[in-house]
Amino acid sequence: FECLSLLSLAVGREVSGQDAREAMQAMMEIASAGLEADDPQKSYIHEAVQRICRALQEEFLPYLPTILPGVYAALRMRATEVVDADVDEESDMTVAFLDDGQVVGLKTSQIEEFRSAVHMLSCFLGVLRGHFFDHVREAARSLLPALSFRFSDDVKSDALHTWHELIEA
């Protein structure tokens, strides 16, 4: 998928449109079968989807109803309460201390999945602009919690940039 998406991006939709659509179908079938959070195919698929979106431009719109629910689900991810912060930090978890003394955490793979969802949404907004209008309300609802993401300043910054693109859509 990576090679095909790079080629699609390089040669444009006129040359690679049909191949890009076939790749999208294959990626959606693989993703719908279910991938583990740490499956490397997941990140390759996410990156390839973004490149194909850039290549197909508004011809990518028919894939949004299938892709966006997964993006929104990743953005709705919530931290879990951590009982023993010392033990859980060893299991690849980033923790945050809330004002009420509660400790919550997310695994690194969850933070990366969250960030990937923000990047995908940003790509769709940047490429599709006004064509994304029908999805703006749900995208805003899903993205809003990311603006106060407490586990990564980079993710929060990316979310702010995406919010700006959302306003422009």
Side-chain angles (χ1 to χ4, degrees):
F1 298 123
E2 184 174 13
C3 290
L4 184 105
S5 66
L6 287 167
L7 285 170
S8 294
L9 192 55
V11 299
R13 66 182 171 184
E14 294 78 22
V15 175
S16 69
Q18 185 58 36
D19 292 330
R21 287 187 277 283
E22 288 175 18
M24 283 300 301
Q25 280 304 124
M27 287 187 288
M28 290 190 304
E29 287 174 21
I30 290 170
S32 68
L35 296 170
E36 296 295 321
D38 58 350
D39 189 328
Q41 284 187 86
K42 197 173 198 175
S43 65
Y44 294 134
I45 288 172
H46 287 179
E47 291 171 16
V49 163
Q50 291 175 64
R51 285 190 289 268
I52 290 175
C53 175
R54 287 184 189 101
L56 293 179
Q57 299 168 0
E58 68 275 356
E59 291 178 19
F60 187 82
L61 285 169
Y63 302 107
L64 288 180
T66 304
I67 295 169
L68 287 176
V71 171
Y72 298 153
L75 292 173
R76 287 191 294 271
M77 186 184 315
R78 296 292 173 250
T80 57
E81 185 173 2
V82 177
V83 177
D84 185 356
D86 294 329
V87 172
D88 285 325
E89 279 184 336
E90 293 174 14
S91 65
D92 192 31
M93 183 171 273
T94 301
V95 296
F97 298 90
L98 304 180
D99 293 336
D100 63 2
Q102 183 182 15
V103 180
V104 294
L106 284 174
K107 291 186 176 188
T108 301
S109 62
Q110 292 174 304
I111 294 171
E112 287 304 314
E113 182 177 355
F114 194 94
R115 188 172 194 188
S116 176
V118 171
H119 285 179
M120 286 183 74
L121 192 56
S122 178
C123 173
F124 300 158
L125 287 161
V127 171
L128 301 172
R129 301 218 174 265
H131 297 288
F132 193 85
F133 183 77
D134 293 342
H135 306 281
V136 166
R137 181 174 294 180
E138 186 63 27
R141 284 188 192 124
S142 298
L143 185 62
L144 186 59
L147 298 176
S148 59
F149 193 73
R150 61 180 73 237
F151 298 98
S152 168
D153 288 338
D154 290 338
V155 172
K156 194 185 306 186
S157 176
D158 292 344
L160 285 169
H161 173 75
T162 304
W163 190 262
H164 175 74
E165 290 180 322
L166 189 63
I167 291 169
E168 290 182 346

